[in-house]
Amino acid sequence: MLNDSVLTIIDQSRAQGWVLEPDAKTILAAYGLPAPPHAWARNLDQALLEAATIGYPVAAKVVSPAVIHKSEVQGVTAGLKNDSELSEFYQRVSGLPEFQGVLVEGMAEGVELIVGAKIDHQFGPVILLGIGGTSVEIYQDVALRMAPLTEQDVTTMVGELKGSRLLNGYRGAAVIDHAALNTFLLRFSELVMDLAPEMESIDINPLFCSDHGCLAADARIMLSTGPVTIPK
Amino acid sequence: MDLTPLFLPKSMAVIGLSLSNDHHPANVIHSKNLLRYPLPCYGINPKGGTLNGEPIYTSIHELPQQVDLAVIAVRAEIVPQVLKDCISAGVKSSIIISGGFAEAGKIELQEELTSIAIAHDFPFIGPNCLGLYSPDVVDTFFLPAERMVQPRQGGVAVVSQSGGILVDLLVKFATEGVGISSAISIGNKALVREPQLLEFLAADERTRVIALYIEGFSQNEGRAFVRLARDCGKPVIVLKSGKTREGSRAVSSHTASLAGDYQVFSAVLRQHGIMEAANEHEMVSFCEALSCYPETRIEGRIGIVSSSGGHGALAVDACIGSGLKVPPLSDQLQTQLQLAISPSIQAIAALSNPIDLTGSAQESDFVEAVNQLAHSAEIDCILLLMLPYLPGIGSDLGARLSQVHRRTGKPLIAYVPHVDKYQMLIEGFELNRVPVASSIESAVKMTRALRRCRPC
C-alpha cells in the first residue's frame, strides 16, 4: 500500500528521475511483491557480511544514480561464489560515477518473465506481462491490459502468451505457482494505480517464477518529468 | 449536452450560401435538403434576395422559425460570431463545415468555438468536417446527391475522423447491402468527440452497431471511450490508422518499447470487447454481420453447407485460420441428413462437415441441410456457400433459407457472388436480415465477428 516510506522514496528520487533498485524493491515490498533476499551494502565489509547472511552464490549490482542500465557498464553480475569474487566485483564497480554501494542479492531460479507498466497517453496506466530475460525485445511475446487489472484480466494475460507452455511444466520442469503469479499481478496493478500520477514506467525484468513462487530480481521505476492527470 | 437536435433535426438552416457559385458547399447542402429531405431548410446570406426561386434570409434571426440545426459554411474568421448568433437565435445545434482551424494551425480560433459552445451548453460537430448523413432525415455532406452512393437505411452508425474515409465506407456499405442509421464525419472534433457520440448512439433506437474510424484519442480519452464501449450494450467496431507511427520520445524501458501506442490500443480494445477491423473490408464485413446479429455470441462451431468441394475446403481453411472450429458431424446427424436430401444425390453428397450437396442438388436439399444444422446443437453457426449458377437453384432460395434462420434463431451467413443477375437471391437473404458476403473470405470474417464481444 501507499505508505510514508513509499512517498519518501518517490520524493527523494524525483530529482534524478528514477528510483534506485534497492529503493524500488522497498516499494515493491510495501505492496507485498516479493524479491530474493537482498541488502544494500555501502562498503566492502558490509557487502561480505550480507553475502554471508544470504549465502553464496549471490548476485551483485552497482547502486548509482548515474547508472540506469547496469549491464552496459558491467555493473551487474550473477553467481558470485565466494568473498574474493565479490571483493573483486566491489572494487571494480566502486570506481563508477556517483557510486553509492552494491546491492547483494540471493540467486533466484525459474522461468524469466517481465512485468511492467507505463502511462499511455490515450489510455493512462497500462500493464504488461511477457516472457522476459535479455531476448524480451526480440520475441515480443507480451500481453497488455489497461489498469487496474481484474482477476479475469490476469488469467487471460497469462493464457495469451505464446510461451505460456513454459509456465505449465514444459519438458519436465515443475508447473509454476500460478496463484502466486496472479497475486503478484493484482498487487502490482494496485501499485501502478497508486504511483500513476508520479511514474512514467516500471520494469520488473526478470521476474523469476517457479513452483516456489515469483521473485522480482530487478526493478526499475522511471518517474514522470511533468505533471500528468490520471482519471480513475 | 443533448445531441438529439443534431441527429434528428426537424428544421435546419444553411449559413453561407453563395449567390454566384452553385458548387459552394452551402449551396449543395441547401439544395439537397430542400429538394429531397422532409425538413424545412432555410438558406442564409447577409445580402438576402432569392436563389433558384427560394428566398435567402439575411440572418439567422430573420427565419420564420427557430431551427434545430444550423450548418455553418462561412470563412473561418467569422465562424465564432456566426456561432454566437445561432445561440442567441435559439438554434439547438450546429455542424461547422468550414476549415481553417486547428488543421491549419489556427488552434486559438478553434478553442474560441469550443469555449463559446461550452458556455452555452450548445452542441456542434466539426469544424472541418462533412457533418451528418442520416437516410431520410438529413444530409449535410457537401457532395451533390447524384455523385454520392448512398446505402439504404439500416442499423449501422458510422463515426469517422476522416470525411473521405467515411464517404468511401458508405460506397462499400451500399455495394454490400449494409444499411446505416447515421454517418458522422467529426473533422477536428473540437467539442463533440467519440465518447459523447458513443453515449448518444448507445441510446439511439435506430442504431444496432457502432462503427468508428479513429486516428487517435487525446490524453486519457481512450480510457473513457473503452469503458463506455464495453458498457454500451451494442457491438462497437473500430478501424484504426496510424498503427506504424513510432513513439517520438526516446524509450528508456522495456515496457515502453514493447507497449507501443498501437499495441496498447489494440490490446485495450480487445480487453473491453471492442472489435478491431484490420482494414475497410473487414469493417464492412463485421458491420454487416453484427447489424444482423447484434446480440449473438457464438463459440465458433461452424457448419458449412455448399455444393462444391473446393468452396467447402477453402472455407474450412479460412475458419481454422481464424480460430473457428468445423467439427465433424455425428453419425446420427449424418443419417438424418441422408434421409432428408433428394434420392438423386444420396450416393454422391458428402455429409460430414463441410457438407457438399454437389452440383446436382435441388433447392429442397439446401433447405433440408440448413434446417438439420439449424436444429442441431453440434454447431452454433451455419456458413452457406451458394453457387447460384447451378441449374437446381432458384432465385427465391435466399428468402426460403432466411425463414429457416428466423424459425430457429441459429445464425446463418451466406456467400453469393455479387453480380446483378443474382440480386434477387442476395436480397432474399439481406432483406430478411441474413448477411451475404461477396467472397468466401468475407463470409468467414462475418462468422468470426459473431464470436466477438467477449471482453478478455
Side-chain angles (χ1 to χ4, degrees):
Chain A
M1 54 172 281
L2 192 59
N3 59 29
D4 287 348
S5 79
V6 173
L7 292 170
T8 307
I9 290 173
I10 300 282
D11 271 343
Q12 289 171 351
S13 308
R14 213 171 264 131
Q16 72 207 32
W18 61 287
V19 180
L20 293 173
E21 183 182 342
D23 287 338
K25 285 184 167 156
T26 304
I27 293 178
L28 297 190
Y31 285 84
L33 298 167
H38 58 276
W40 184 356
R42 313 298 176 121
N43 57 54
L44 178 56
D45 287 347
Q46 199 193 343
L48 297 174
L49 204 64
E50 298 293 355
T53 311
I54 292 167
Y56 285 106
V58 296
K61 297 174 244 189
V62 64
V63 178
S64 159
V67 179
I68 298 183
H69 300 284
K70 296 181 283 280
S71 56
E72 285 174 10
V73 294
Q74 284 82 48
V76 54
T77 189
L80 296 175
K81 290 190 287 293
N82 50 47
D83 283 3
S84 86
E85 288 185 5
L86 178 55
S87 304
E88 193 193 323
F89 174 82
Y90 196 100
Q91 268 145 11
R92 185 165 54 74
V93 299
S94 61
L96 288 169
E98 298 182 53
F99 175 76
Q100 290 188 4
V102 161
L103 185 70
V104 181
E105 187 169 276
M107 298 291 292
E109 289 183 335
V111 182
E112 290 184 46
L113 298 179
I114 174 172
V115 170
K118 74 159 197 176
I119 305 302
D120 183 84
H121 179 72
Q122 302 180 83
F123 297 99
V126 295
I127 290 175
L128 170 144
L129 169 71
I131 300 298
T134 47
S135 54
V136 54
E137 295 198 17
I138 297 176
Y139 295 112
Q140 304 207 357
D141 184 8
V142 298
L144 289 159
R145 294 290 185 278
M146 195 170 92
L149 300 179
T150 63
E151 292 197 14
Q152 192 197 3
D153 288 331
V154 166
T155 26
T156 57
M157 281 176 97
V158 176
E160 91 186 31
L161 295 179
K162 293 188 199 80
S164 65
R165 284 169 68 195
L166 298 169
L167 310 177
N168 295 318
Y170 185 66
R171 292 194 166 217
V175 178
I176 68 144
D177 183 346
H178 278 281
L181 177 57
N182 293 356
T183 305
F184 191 97
L185 287 167
L186 289 170
R187 289 179 180 172
F188 180 70
S189 167
E190 199 185 321
L191 177 157
V192 169
M193 292 309 289
D194 283 352
L195 292 198
E198 303 280 357
M199 63 170 263
E200 181 182 285
S201 67
I202 304 180
D203 277 348
I204 297 175
N205 183 28
L207 174 74
F208 281 102
C209 287
S210 69
D211 53 338
H212 299 303
C214 295
L215 296 174
D218 195 3
R220 183 187 303 148
I221 301 174
M222 305 297 295
L223 299 175
S224 60
T225 45
V228 286
T229 46
I230 306 297
K232 284 294 167 188
Chain B
M1 197 170 273
D2 181 14
L3 302 186
T4 311
L6 250 175
F7 276 87
L8 294 164
K10 296 197 167 52
S11 53
M12 72 187 289
V14 183
I15 305 174
L17 246 58
S18 165
L19 301 179
S20 55
N21 175 10
D22 284 341
H23 287 131
H24 189 280
N27 296 44
V28 174
I29 296 165
H30 181 248
S31 290
K32 61 168 30 169
N33 285 283
L34 190 70
L35 300 176
R36 304 185 59 202
Y37 285 83
L39 74 178
C41 180
Y42 307 104
I44 295 174
N45 180 305
K47 296 192 185 103
T50 61
L51 183 66
N52 303 326
E54 293 293 325
I56 303 285
Y57 295 86
T58 55
S59 121
I60 190 85
H61 294 280
E62 303 302 317
L63 302 185
Q65 68 173 111
Q66 284 190 345
V67 293
D68 283 344
L69 172 66
V71 177
I72 299 175
V74 300
R75 283 198 327 278
E77 298 75 39
I78 61 169
V79 172
Q81 185 55 49
V82 170
L83 193 63
K84 286 180 197 160
D85 291 346
C86 286
I87 293 167
S88 72
V91 175
K92 304 280 196 326
S93 67
S94 176
I95 289 171
I96 302 173
I97 306 290
S98 319
F101 294 90
E103 87 285 4
K106 302 276 180 59
I107 292 165
E108 284 178 15
L109 190 61
Q110 181 166 312
E111 284 172 350
E112 195 182 344
L113 301 182
T114 312
S115 316
I116 295 167
I118 289 172
H120 295 90
D121 195 30
F122 179 86
F124 77 83
I125 298 272
N128 187 32
C129 70
L130 290 178
L132 173 72
Y133 164 58
S134 181
D136 303 329
V137 177
V138 69
D139 178 1
T140 76
F141 290 12
F142 55 79
L143 312 167
E146 68 278 10
R147 288 174 185 258
M148 277 180 72
V149 179
Q150 298 189 318
R152 63 183 170 78
Q153 196 181 15
V156 180
V158 202
V159 175
S160 176
Q161 209 171 330
S162 151
I165 295 291
L166 183 62
V167 175
D168 208 55
L169 276 172
L170 294 187
V171 173
K172 292 184 169 67
F173 282 147
T175 313
E176 297 292 328
V178 182
I180 66 160
S181 59
S182 38
I184 314 108
S185 141
I186 54 178
N188 295 4
K189 46 183 185 178
L191 178 73
V192 174
R193 303 173 63 91
E194 288 89 350
Q196 294 98 309
L197 290 167
L198 199 53
E199 277 185 291
F200 177 83
L201 295 169
D204 177 33
E205 286 176 3
R206 303 167 307 155
T207 297
R208 289 195 295 274
V209 174
I210 303 164
L212 304 102
Y213 166 77
I214 295 175
E215 287 166 9
F217 291 115
S218 62
Q219 187 172 18
N220 290 321
E221 189 179 35
R223 202 169 174 82
F225 174 85
V226 293
R227 287 175 168 169
L228 286 167
R230 178 191 59 195
D231 298 336
C232 88
K234 294 178 183 179
V236 176
I237 306 164
V238 169
L239 174 62
K240 168 88 171 90
S241 71
K243 297 176 185 177
T244 48
R245 187 166 41 218
E246 298 293 325
S248 55
R249 226 146 43 98
V251 166
S252 56
S253 82
H254 284 303
T255 301
S257 133
L258 293 166
D261 291 347
Y262 173 64
Q263 283 85 349
V264 169
F265 189 99
S266 190
V268 171
L269 254 57
R270 210 168 345 111
Q271 178 186 4
H272 292 83
I274 302 166
M275 285 214 76
E276 186 187 351
N279 51 48
E280 290 167 278
H281 299 292
E282 256 191 29
M283 175 70 121
V284 175
S285 295
F286 290 170
C287 284
E288 181 165 3
L290 292 171
S291 65
C292 292
Y293 306 123
E295 312 275 339
T296 305
R297 291 173 192 213
I298 62 171
E299 258 178 58
R301 289 171 284 119
I302 313 303
I304 298 172
V305 179
S306 181
S307 47
S308 143
H311 283 69
L314 280 178
V316 170
D317 285 347
C319 282
I320 302 300
S322 304
L324 299 162
K325 295 193 174 73
V326 186
L329 303 180
S330 67
D331 291 344
Q332 189 199 347
L333 185 52
Q334 290 195 47
T335 308
Q336 284 168 234
L337 280 163
Q338 178 78 5
L339 293 172
I341 57 178
S342 315
S344 60
I345 61 163
Q346 279 173 356
I348 52 174
L351 298 176
S352 179
N353 194 8
I355 294 172
D356 175 8
L357 296 170
T358 79
S360 307
Q362 303 301 306
E363 268 198 25
S364 60
D365 296 322
F366 286 93
V367 175
E368 285 301 337
V370 169
N371 192 43
Q372 294 287 343
L373 292 184
H375 282 96
S376 165
E378 294 175 28
I379 59 114
D380 59 10
C381 179
I382 302 167
L383 193 54
L384 177 67
L385 309 170
M386 297 294 295
L387 284 61
Y389 31 81
L390 292 176
I393 293 178
S395 48
D396 67 341
L397 182 55
R400 284 182 71 187
L401 290 168
S402 301
Q403 294 307 325
V404 178
H405 152 66
R406 291 182 65 191
R407 273 198 301 277
T408 60
K410 184 148 298 183
L412 172 66
I413 287 166
Y415 153 68
V416 182
H418 276 37
V419 289
D420 286 347
K421 67 166 74 174
Y422 306 137
Q423 194 56 29
M424 191 166 152
L425 181 62
I426 292 170
E427 286 186 7
F429 287 112
E430 283 179 347
L431 298 180
N432 290 298
R433 227 184 256 177
V434 168
V436 183
S438 55
S439 70
I440 295 174
E441 193 193 357
S442 304
V444 174
K445 284 185 195 305
M446 288 182 178
T447 313
R448 182 155 66 85
L450 302 191
R451 207 187 38 174
R452 102 265 165 244
C453 282
R454 290 172 189 277
C456 62

